[in-house]
Amino acid sequence: MHSRLGMKVGFCAIALGVIYSPACSSDSSSTGSPEGGVAPDTDGSTGGAGGKGAGGAAGKGTGGTAGTATTDGGSCDVTLAPSDDDLTTIQGALDSKVKSGNTVCFSPGTYKLKNHITLAAAKSVTFQGTGAKRDDVVLDFTGQTNGDEGVLVTTDGFTIRNLSIKNTQGNGIKVQANDSLFDNIKVGWDNSGTADGGPTSGGYAIYPTGCENTVMQNNEVYGAADAGIYAGQCKHVIAHDNDSHDNVLGIEIENTLDAEVYANEVHGNTTGFLLDLLPDLQQKTTQNYYVHDNHVYDNNRVNFAQANTLAATAPQGTGVLVLASRDIELTKNKIEGNGGVGIIIVSYDIIDVLAVLNGGTASTPDPTTSRWPRRVYVHDNTFSDNGNDPQGSYAVFAVATDGGKKTVPYNVLWDGILDPSGYGGNDGGLPVGDAGKATAADAQICLGETEQKSFVDFHGDTSLTDPAGWSTDPTPHKCTLPALPSLTP
């Protein structure tokens, strides 16, 4: 979530602020020149293994095993090796030696960096670790003193594969460009969010933004004090076979057009998925989030984000949270062991409701960004053991079982707050100005048979703290929506 948004009440708030109280480095020997640094390329063929590996660390379900490289047979235009001054070695090569279309090969070893490295001129550049696995090449930013990222790329056609980035001061790797591929990399923070570590930043691990045609595959991300895998204000995003664990947010897709997110292991985070539309950003709509065949489990980590950031309000124990987004299909996901809720769908209005309940004031709406989710199709997912340990604000949904333990007995929750315009204008539905005439069916929160059996509309604007006003009637939600298409890389 973008921390630059100045909201008084963050969104968990959502889960309901009425109750919410406020490293090791590689010792691999270097190869290349005897002194380290830039190794000579006498025939343009140095370098070795290329990157397509299996996913991240093995998880509870369908995810991959620790990434290993397979030989791509590509050549290295520039080969780097650890040196006495890794920053000068790498940045010097990027500034003066690397040309468009080049492959930069990183020989095995640990590169110690106190400032970020940037690629801002050459296009269609590949960063390639040449070890047998991604842990053989480590860009280590422990003790970084300058730069908001570890790696910053602002040119199109970038590929990075088969290496690791750790302990950056800010975001792990940020790419503001088109046609990017993140393949078999590992990005994270040692001991982040633990008693002996704590958050090192408010950052994202893999962070493409303002991008088109981005693929994130076979990566492992961990320890991010915001989102492990993120795409924001992008077009055509594919994220598959990643292992995102022990972050505040596992995977976040924000203000994006056309995203397919599938076959990921998302576990051990505070909130597994956040699919959101935020106000006051350049991209004003969402479109076609196809989220399927993911394993979303045990997302119960205590929130360790930096204070006064939106990530700090992410609700512990959430499998999937949809915030104000439209045109979403959630299907064939395995969602289990999330202590608060499996899936929760909310409008932006819930934030204002909570602000007022807490003695504050409502925000000033962005008139160009919708605040209400619509056309959300949730079907054919499998659920087990969700809601068994509702912490903090999720306690408002808990009911006592026969044994006295309080649990949240619903797999899918919706705040039931409707667009007061009646979903009019270009969005179709009732005409503009038909305030108060919208119904639950107009929102098109459509549920499959499994989801209909365990659903609640908690009417966040009128009955937030009064279960007598909630509805478990699935009738307005017995609808289907057109299946979203798979995307091609």
Side-chain angles (χ1 to χ4, degrees):
M1 287 181 284
H2 271 276
S3 57
R4 63 184 178 179
L5 289 176
M7 295 180 185
K8 294 182 180 177
V9 180
F11 99 89
C12 199
I14 272 182
L16 310 160
V18 292
I19 295 177
Y20 185 80
S21 299
C24 298
S25 62
S26 168
D27 292 324
S28 301
S29 59
S30 24
T31 59
S33 62
E35 299 83 12
V38 180
D41 288 336
T42 56
D43 60 3
S45 61
T46 30
K52 293 183 180 177
K60 177 183 174 185
T62 58
T65 55
T68 56
T70 59
T71 302
D72 282 342
S75 63
C76 300
D77 300 289
V78 175
T79 298
L80 305 176
S83 68
D84 292 336
D85 186 352
D86 292 321
L87 179 62
T88 298
T89 295
I90 297 172
Q91 193 62 58
L94 296 179
D95 290 342
S96 63
K97 190 172 182 181
V98 175
K99 310 300 182 186
S100 292
N102 279 182
T103 294
V104 181
C105 289
F106 290 80
S107 300
T110 297
Y111 300 75
K112 297 184 178 297
L113 301 160
K114 300 296 184 183
N115 198 348
H116 64 193
I117 57 175
T118 62
L119 177 67
K123 297 181 178 180
S124 301
V125 171
T126 295
F127 284 6
Q128 173 77 53
T130 61
K133 56 186 184 298
R134 61 187 172 215
D135 287 328
D136 290 343
V137 174
V138 180
L139 305 184
D140 185 356
F141 290 85
T142 302
Q144 181 181 2
T145 55
N146 293 295
D148 292 328
E149 282 79 34
V151 179
L152 175 63
V153 177
T154 55
T155 58
D156 293 345
F158 176 70
T159 293
I160 183 169
R161 54 164 52 105
N162 200 45
L163 55 76
S164 296
I165 299 168
K166 73 173 187 176
N167 297 340
T168 57
Q169 177 175 258
N171 307 305
I173 176 168
K174 181 178 181 180
V175 175
Q176 294 175 291
N178 300 331
D179 305 310
S180 296
L181 171 63
F182 304 81
D183 182 15
N184 192 40
I185 67 172
K186 183 177 180 180
V187 184
W189 290 264
D190 296 337
N191 300 318
S192 187
T194 65
D196 58 346
T200 58
S201 75
Y204 307 86
I206 296 177
Y207 182 24
T209 182
C211 56
E212 292 189 26
N213 301 320
T214 296
V215 177
M216 296 172 278
Q217 63 185 26
N218 308 317
N219 305 298
E220 180 183 0
V221 292
Y222 65 95
D226 204 297
I229 288 177
Y230 169 93
Q233 302 191 77
C234 294
K235 298 178 181 178
H236 200 97
V237 172
I238 299 173
H240 71 90
D241 291 285
N242 301 290
D243 181 12
S244 182
H245 63 92
D246 298 296
N247 309 286
V248 173
L249 300 167
I251 297 178
E252 179 181 7
I253 309 296
E254 175 186 277
N255 293 53
T256 285
L257 305 178
D258 300 318
E260 184 177 9
V261 186
Y262 65 96
N264 299 287
E265 294 278 337
V266 182
H267 58 106
N269 308 287
T270 302
T271 289
F273 273 92
L274 174 60
L275 309 173
D276 56 328
L277 175 66
L278 297 187
D280 302 313
L281 297 180
Q282 187 172 3
Q283 171 60 37
K284 300 295 185 180
T285 60
T286 62
Q287 173 182 293
N288 298 351
Y289 291 3
Y290 182 27
V291 180
H292 64 96
D293 294 288
N294 299 284
H295 193 188
V296 186
Y297 61 95
D298 299 341
N299 291 290
N300 303 311
R301 189 178 183 88
V302 174
N303 192 314
F304 61 93
Q306 287 188 335
N308 301 316
T309 64
L310 282 178
T313 66
Q316 179 184 349
T318 308
V320 180
L321 190 146
V322 177
L323 174 61
S325 295
R326 299 187 171 196
D327 299 301
I328 291 176
E329 183 175 10
L330 287 163
T331 185
K332 298 180 182 178
N333 300 288
K334 187 176 182 180
I335 302 171
E336 60 181 336
N338 304 289
V341 299
I343 297 175
I344 184 168
I345 303 166
V346 295
S347 67
Y348 223 83
D349 278 0
I350 194 71
I351 294 175
D352 287 343
V353 170
L354 294 166
V356 173
L357 284 173
N358 286 321
T361 58
S363 63
T364 301
D366 174 1
T368 62
T369 304
S370 175
R371 299 165 67 86
W372 306 277
R374 193 179 186 205
R375 294 187 296 270
V376 179
Y377 190 19
V378 185
H379 65 100
D380 297 303
N381 299 283
T382 60
F383 301 87
S384 63
D385 299 320
N386 297 294
N388 284 336
D389 187 23
Q391 296 293 316
S393 47
Y394 279 139
V396 74
F397 301 122
V399 299
T401 61
D402 291 341
K405 181 180 179 180
K406 288 191 172 183
T407 64
V408 177
Y410 316 104
N411 288 325
V412 182
L413 298 86
W414 176 46
D415 72 2
I417 301 177
L418 301 174
D419 182 346
S421 74
Y423 301 96
N426 293 332
D427 197 47
L430 297 172
V432 174
D434 277 356
K437 294 184 180 180
T439 67
D442 294 315
Q444 293 182 279
I445 309 298
C446 295
L447 305 177
E449 291 185 7
T450 296
E451 290 77 11
Q452 291 172 25
K453 295 174 183 177
S454 184
F455 163 79
V456 66
D457 171 356
F458 60 87
H459 292 288
D461 51 347
T462 59
S463 302
L464 181 62
T465 59
D466 181 12
W470 301 352
S471 172
T472 57
D473 179 10
T475 302
H477 309 285
K478 292 182 177 180
C479 52
T480 60
L481 295 170
L484 294 180
S486 291
L487 301 181
T488 55

